[in-house]
DNA sequence: GTTCTTACA
DNA sequence: TGTAAGGA
């Protein structure tokens, strides 16, 4: 499929798809015209990329990981032991972040429980059109 | 009409 | 990131 369909399938902007490719995360075929030709596997790859980026992994790390799970997506290819250590580190970092998020949620829960129905009694100003970031 | 690269602010 | 130029 070409760029337009790939954007539709993944929900990822055209420019970002090119960026992923630039970072070595994607390698779509090229038509004689120079147009990119994406495969179904590429759609899945983008899904993984988004997942890992959200989790805070760098594009360089992801570029190392992707080729190792490209086969069935279930396990690490008989590749690099250095990668295992790296990924265990990432996993640990994610666990720490999860705990921080839990604490944040708990804090908000506490505050919200102590201030019921505030939104019903307080008039918040309408956001200005040019005040959005 | 679609997509390509490059590039500037 | 938004946008534009200039090709294919």
């Amino acid at each position: 499929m070409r760029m337009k369909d790939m954007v539709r399938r993944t929900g990822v902007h055209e420019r970002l798809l090119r960026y992923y490719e630039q970072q070595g995360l994607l390698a779509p075929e090229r038509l004689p015209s120079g147009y990119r030709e994406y495969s179904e596997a590429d759609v899945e790859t983008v899904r993984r990329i988004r997942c890992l980026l959200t989790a805070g992994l760098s594009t360089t790390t992801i570029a190392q990981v992707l080729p190792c799970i490209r086969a069935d997506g279930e396990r690490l290819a008989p590749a690099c032991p250095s990668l295992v250590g790296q990924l265990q580190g990432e996993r640990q970092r994610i666990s720490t972040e999860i705990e921080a998020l839990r604490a944040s949620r708990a804090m908000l829960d506490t505050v919200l429980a102590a201030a019921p129905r505030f939104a019903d009694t307080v008039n918040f100003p309408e956001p200005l059109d040019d005040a959005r970031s």
Side-chain angles (χ1 to χ4, degrees):
Chain A
M1 79 196 74
R2 294 222 298 267
M3 182 59 88
K4 197 175 178 182
D5 292 310
M6 189 62 175
V7 168
R8 203 170 39 74
R9 288 286 299 276
T10 62
V12 174
H13 279 302
E14 180 176 339
R15 194 163 185 179
L16 209 39
L17 288 173
R18 293 206 191 94
Y19 175 72
Y20 291 163
E21 184 175 342
Q22 215 181 336
Q23 300 304 304
L25 274 39
L26 274 178
E29 308 259 310
R30 290 294 183 138
L31 268 28
S33 57
Y35 289 9
R36 273 162 264 252
E37 178 68 20
Y38 293 100
S39 66
E40 290 300 319
D42 289 327
V43 176
E44 181 61 21
T45 298
V46 169
R47 220 205 79 247
R48 293 196 181 115
I49 292 170
R50 308 243 312 158
C51 179
L52 295 175
L53 280 177
T54 300
L57 275 69
S58 69
T59 54
T60 48
T61 300
I62 296 174
Q64 292 176 303
V65 174
L66 283 179
C68 295
I69 58 179
R70 204 159 268 177
D72 60 352
E74 288 299 308
R75 60 177 57 239
L76 222 50
C80 13
S82 64
L83 198 55
V84 173
Q86 167 100 337
L87 294 182
Q88 283 170 343
E90 297 287 357
R91 206 203 105 94
Q92 180 55 54
R93 180 186 51 73
I94 290 170
S95 296
T96 304
E97 277 181 20
I98 288 175
E99 287 316 305
L101 288 173
R102 279 192 202 285
S104 298
R105 184 177 59 184
M107 185 194 301
L108 293 183
D109 283 346
T110 302
V111 172
L112 289 172
R117 304 193 174 282
F118 243 9
D120 293 340
T121 58
V122 176
N123 287 323
F124 294 104
E126 290 293 325
L128 267 39
D129 273 357
D130 58 349
R132 271 173 238 157
S133 51

